Amino acid sequence: MAEAPAAQAAPSGRRLLWDSARHTRGRLALLLVLMLLHSATVLTAPVLIAAAVDGVLRGSGDPGPAVEWAAVVALGSVCETLLMPLGAIGAASGARRLRMRLVRHLIGLGARQPQPHGESVTQVTQAAAQAGMVPVALAQWTVTLAGSLVALAWLWTTDWRSALAFSLAAPVAVVVARRFIGRVTQTHSAYLAAQGEIANRLLTALSGALTIRASDTLRAERARVLEPLSELSAVGRRMWRIQRGTIWQFGLLLSLTEALVLAIAGLGVTEGRLSSGQLLAVAGYLQLAFQALRQIEAQLTLAQARAAAQRVAATLAAPLPVYGQVSAGGPTGARGSLSLRKVTVRRDGETLLDGVDLDVPAGRSVALVGRTASGKSLLAGLPGRLTEPDEGEVLLDGVRLRDLTAAELRRAVAYAFERPLLIGTTLHDTIAYGRPDTSRAAVERAARLARADGFVRRLPDGYDTPLHSAPMSGGERQRVGLARTLARDAQVYVLDDATSGLDTVTEAEVSEAVTGALAGRTRLVVAHRVTTAARCDLVVWLADGRVRAVAPHTELWSDPAYRAVFAVTEEEPS
């Protein structure tokens, strides 16, 4: 049976936010202390200013309340000054953690991406940043809510009639806020989806920029990329309408409530129930009690972060491959033997490899031959688990691949691709990529085998030339990619059409050099040329996702159907 998906719980958006808060708890704790201290100064100020005003009206010469009020205001200003940079640092820290986690997960998934690349870019650049702001925003909202409740309690203590008038309006404001959060969460999710679609189309267009220019389809392609812009604009306008409507409702409700409360408190002064200082205290505590209801911006941030976190959580729910604990090959003594047992691979409900049984002897070179979509590249991806079977097992030296550690598998199997992605600061780094301790001698030897040494040495700084300053043709890039593979000491080398960009003479030279250098090592070669298949010890002939035959090229050549494969593939390589 195929390997079960990784046994990991799919994180919900809420759980993801909690995890982000938990890992920034140190900064959050300091931030909360400052927030609480600032809130305490704000809550104390109305009492002190009321005492100061009443003292002045009574003709008291005691400056104590005024001095205390000034000290409290100064302390509050210091706290507010420190809160801004600490809040920004906390939000940046949460975003950084989510981005790193998301990037690690996306890279770990490899070719098994759960969504288009544009959506992944949007999540890393925007959604993770929005979700990372939640711990700070939530802490601020919580402290503000607590301060508002304390202010309301003091309002009840000072004048219960004014507090009652305020309390009657609070439930209406809560209902409006809950509707606002729900509508914004749904709308912002659609906004992120539209952004992701534009990013995905743009990435596709950039990768095919030469084709677009050569075909004179720039205008049509630009229209295709920007087609979701109308949806993005519509969703953005809908979000602004929601905000505008909610702010209007809140503004009217709070203004009417404030007028009613102050009118009741003013009557209390005329009736002798309240002093002038207490009227000021009621006005101050009313503003503080309003703070919890005025947190539209904080609620908008939380709603957007919730939508962003849900999208990030959906990506993180895609299971990563699980590796085993075996760090050495099997007991057979043969290093590099491969076995496929009833391997089946499906994509979108279609069976692409169907119950494949295959044994590749250690140290042999095996060509994978077949027409387009016959399953060559899928089969080539099996030894390194770039392709995961839905059914069946793949064994290396008698050990199931799923039982090997990740490090052992990457050490044992090396790949060279048709369009290699070159990564590194210099060309030396590029060839040594993944094995930074590779010596210069080993790098140069691999380059010579791949016939890349000549053009590398002609560059201004040779192997120390910065990669971005090294102009290379498609064939030269392919040879550098092949050199990167040959610099590794592996048991199995998979060459997935790794010489297709070379001319016939260079391809023959490279193939001859590789054959000599890798003698005794197992090689799987995706072959489109007759000469490539002829150089291999065996040919695995694939058709419709199944192995049609396994034999030397010379034996298969007598079959007209086998010869027809090359007549097609040399015209239309897959």
Side-chain angles (χ1 to χ4, degrees), residues 252-526:
L252 179 60
L253 176 63
L254 297 185
S255 297
L256 292 175
T257 303
E258 184 176 12
L260 178 60
V261 171
L262 292 178
I264 293 173
L267 288 175
V269 174
T270 60
E271 294 171 356
R273 190 177 70 251
L274 298 175
S275 67
S276 298
Q278 286 177 317
L279 175 61
L280 290 176
V282 168
Y285 286 129
L286 176 62
Q287 296 304 315
L288 295 176
F290 271 146
Q291 290 301 314
L293 303 180
R294 285 176 173 155
Q295 293 293 302
I296 291 295
E297 185 176 348
Q299 292 172 11
L300 175 63
T301 298
L302 291 172
Q304 291 176 337
R306 180 181 172 188
Q310 288 172 349
R311 300 185 75 84
V312 172
T315 299
L316 294 177
L320 293 171
V322 177
Y323 294 92
Q325 302 298 319
V326 178
S327 58
T332 60
R335 304 291 286 168
S337 65
L338 287 170
S339 299
L340 278 62
R341 297 289 178 263
K342 303 296 182 185
V343 170
T344 297
V345 176
R346 302 184 183 91
R347 294 287 187 274
D348 300 324
E350 182 181 358
T351 300
L352 303 181
L353 288 179
D354 189 4
V356 173
D357 284 304
L358 179 65
D359 287 301
V360 177
R364 307 294 291 277
S365 59
V366 177
L368 303 180
V369 171
R371 297 195 177 194
T372 300
S374 60
K376 300 185 297 297
S377 291
L378 279 177
L379 194 151
L382 289 169
R385 293 187 64 183
L386 306 184
T387 301
E388 294 283 3
D390 294 285
E391 297 177 13
E393 293 285 2
V394 182
L395 299 92
L396 174 62
D397 293 329
V399 179
R400 297 181 304 180
L401 292 185
R402 65 165 121 168
D403 293 334
L404 294 173
T405 64
E408 176 66 18
L409 181 61
R410 297 299 161 231
R411 185 201 63 76
V413 183
Y415 277 86
F417 299 102
E418 178 183 5
R419 297 180 181 88
L421 176 64
L422 303 184
I423 303 174
T425 305
T426 65
L427 282 171
H428 173 94
D429 298 335
T430 301
I431 297 174
Y433 182 72
R435 297 290 188 273
D437 56 344
T438 304
S439 67
R440 174 58 62 89
V443 165
E444 293 178 357
R445 175 181 178 274
R448 285 195 297 273
L449 292 172
R451 295 300 187 265
D453 180 74
F455 72 80
V456 170
R457 291 188 181 278
R458 287 194 296 270
L459 294 171
D461 296 310
Y463 287 90
D464 295 319
T465 301
L467 181 62
H468 64 82
S469 301
M472 289 183 283
S473 66
E476 288 171 339
R477 294 179 65 87
Q478 200 169 63
R479 278 181 273 173
V480 171
L482 181 59
R484 179 176 59 194
T485 302
L486 297 177
R488 292 170 174 257
D489 182 20
Q491 296 168 227
V492 177
Y493 291 83
V494 182
L495 310 181
D496 189 354
D497 211 15
T499 58
S500 60
L502 308 183
D503 60 82
T504 304
V505 174
T506 305
E507 192 269 344
E509 293 177 352
V510 171
S511 296
E512 183 178 352
V514 169
T515 299
L518 300 184
R521 308 294 180 95
T522 306
R523 284 148 287 155
L524 288 183
V525 183
V526 176

Side-chain angles (χ1 to χ4, degrees), residues 85-331:
L86 276 176
I89 291 172
S93 177
R96 175 180 176 274
R97 174 173 174 76
L98 278 179
R99 278 176 170 151
M100 290 181 64
R101 182 176 176 184
L102 189 56
V103 168
R104 282 197 302 266
H105 196 84
L106 288 169
I107 293 177
L109 288 171
R112 299 177 293 278
Q113 295 295 316
Q115 63 213 2
H117 293 316
E119 171 68 15
S120 298
V121 170
T122 300
Q123 288 188 16
V124 171
T125 57
Q126 184 172 348
Q130 290 176 337
M133 294 171 58
V134 167
V136 173
L138 191 58
Q140 184 176 10
W141 184 82
T142 302
V143 172
T144 301
L145 177 62
S148 295
L149 293 176
V150 173
L152 180 59
W154 280 6
L155 192 60
W156 277 97
T157 302
T158 305
D159 183 30
W160 67 267
R161 295 173 180 84
S162 301
L164 179 62
F166 173 85
S167 300
L168 291 176
V172 180
V174 171
V175 170
V176 173
R178 286 182 62 87
R179 288 186 58 207
F180 173 74
I181 291 176
R183 294 170 69 190
V184 167
T185 299
Q186 183 178 9
T187 305
H188 191 64
S189 181
Y191 190 82
L192 289 175
Q195 282 188 320
E197 179 61 22
I198 291 177
N200 188 59
R201 295 186 182 203
L202 178 60
L203 288 174
T204 303
L206 291 176
S207 65
L210 292 179
T211 301
I212 293 170
R213 289 180 60 187
S215 304
D216 194 23
T217 56
L218 179 60
R219 181 173 298 179
E221 193 61 23
R222 184 170 55 205
R224 185 189 71 84
V225 171
L226 296 179
E227 183 181 356
L229 192 60
S230 58
E231 173 66 16
L232 184 70
S233 177
V235 174
R237 288 195 298 270
R238 185 160 66 245
M239 187 177 299
W240 281 113
R241 285 196 298 270
I242 293 172
Q243 291 179 247
R244 182 185 61 192
T246 303
I247 291 173
W248 175 83
Q249 295 173 35
F250 258 85
L252 179 60
L253 176 63
L254 297 185
S255 297
L256 292 175
T257 303
E258 184 176 12
L260 178 60
V261 171
L262 292 178
I264 293 173
L267 288 175
V269 174
T270 60
E271 294 171 356
R273 190 177 70 251
L274 298 175
S275 67
S276 298
Q278 286 177 317
L279 175 61
L280 290 176
V282 168
Y285 286 129
L286 176 62
Q287 296 304 315
L288 295 176
F290 271 146
Q291 290 301 314
L293 303 180
R294 285 176 173 155
Q295 293 293 302
I296 291 295
E297 185 176 348
Q299 292 172 11
L300 175 63
T301 298
L302 291 172
Q304 291 176 337
R306 180 181 172 188
Q310 288 172 349
R311 300 185 75 84
V312 172
T315 299
L316 294 177
L320 293 171
V322 177
Y323 294 92
Q325 302 298 319
V326 178
S327 58

